[in-house]
Amino acid sequence: MSEPAARPKLEIRDLSIHYGTKTAVKNLNLAIAEREVLALIGPSGCGKSTFLRCLNRMNELIPAARQDGHVLLDGQDINARGVDVVELRRRVGMVFQKSNPFPKSIFENVAYGLRVAGLNDKAELALRVEASLQHAALWDEVKDRLGESALSLSGGQQQRLCIARALAVEPEVVLMDEPASALDPLSTAKIEELMHELKARYTIVIVTHNMQQAARVSDQTAFFYMGELIEVGATAQIFTNPGVKRTEDYVTGKFG
């Protein structure tokens, strides 16, 4: 007998997201498996980042936003009454397009979420900060300057610091909104390498405009167009043998 399919880490059912009278995402259904990288691709304004933000309820911070449908994390609706949004955002971390380190030391940037969660033991904090910086491939570059301002780091280092900060609170899912778009090629390569290593521990959803990057880092790719999910499948198939003509036109550069 074949084994039953594993339950998805995230499951999206009949999801629509509106800003006032404008519908940004229409009737989306999608399953995201545990410990895989899903890339969201499509032209600007097609709903990718809006969808990404709904996975940890960041759209709630936008006054005109409302949504219908369901987002399930391990089978539980994240929008259900009684769900702790702070705990949800610990489980589903976010790395933004522009690195946003706090004007604090490198150490305190990573320790921040741990302190908020009530961890104040110095030895335990030091261990968790080191482990997070290791996981973000930054430890060797900053271990002798943890007391320096995070703002003294290069752009690529700042972005990896933000990844370390997200990892410190031990999330299960990491959302990345164009995490390398503002970085030079060398820093971008480090971020991509990091994603390969991180998927052994985390489910990762990344928005990217870079087709080559999507092809390099993701297991699955979802193509969005004008608020609709047009096609989703294994990345190799989406880029070499898509099932929908519009997908083929986009990935081959005929529009976008």
Side-chain angles (χ1 to χ4, degrees), residues 96-163:
F96 296 93
Q97 179 173 359
K98 189 175 186 314
S99 59
N100 57 342
F102 303 137
K104 299 172 178 282
S105 70
I106 293 166
F107 183 94
E108 286 301 332
N109 262 268
V110 184
Y112 178 82
L114 298 170
R115 291 194 192 279
V116 169
L119 178 62
N120 287 304
D121 179 271
K122 282 188 175 178
E124 180 66 16
L125 272 175
L127 284 171
R128 293 278 290 272
V129 168
E130 179 177 344
S132 302
L133 289 166
Q134 292 270 18
H135 290 157
L138 190 57
W139 174 252
D140 289 344
E141 295 167 48
V142 301
K143 62 185 177 186
D144 299 322
R145 45 191 289 215
L146 295 175
E148 292 182 21
S149 169
L151 304 178
S152 69
L153 297 174
S154 71
Q157 288 173 324
Q158 286 188 16
Q159 190 63 301
R160 280 181 285 146
L161 181 68
C162 292
I163 293 172

Side-chain angles (χ1 to χ4, degrees), residues 41 209 211-212 223 239 245-256:
I41 64 170
H209 274 106
M211 295 297 99
Q212 291 80 14
F223 170 55
F239 280 97
K245 179 72 164 62
R246 198 179 291 161
T247 311
E248 181 182 345
D249 287 348
Y250 183 73
V251 300
T252 56
K254 288 184 181 163
F255 76 96

Side-chain angles (χ1 to χ4, degrees), residues 173-189:
V173 180
V174 180
L175 311 176
M176 296 185 168
D177 194 357
E178 298 206 53
S181 66
L183 303 181
D184 61 87
L186 191 60
S187 297
T188 297

